[in-house]
Amino acid sequence: MTLDRSVLLFAGLMIFLSVALTLWVSPLFYWFTLFIGANLAQSAITGFCPAALVFKAFGVKSGCAFK
């Protein structure tokens, strides 16, 4: 799995987790969902993604978007 796909999978799982936490734990977890959305928008605009740096440190091979 490339770095790009790993980041997209991680973001999708975090969105599912944040929605589940919002529904079953506390409505305040919607801030977590907003943070994830803001991070996705920021990484699309700037090309910088903190999760990509972490995955790269673990040795995930580079893709097209995050190098």
Side-chain angles (χ1 to χ4, degrees), residues 4-53:
D4 303 339
R5 290 181 183 259
S6 298
V7 168
L8 292 174
L9 176 63
F10 180 70
L13 291 174
M14 288 296 101
I15 290 172
F16 283 135
L17 175 67
S18 67
V19 169
L21 288 171
T22 300
L23 289 173
W24 294 316
V25 177
S26 170
L28 293 175
F29 275 104
Y30 78 90
W31 289 105
F32 185 40
T33 309
L34 290 172
F35 171 75
I36 295 166
N39 192 14
L40 284 168
Q42 174 268 324
S43 67
I45 293 168
T46 65
F48 172 75
C49 179
L53 296 176

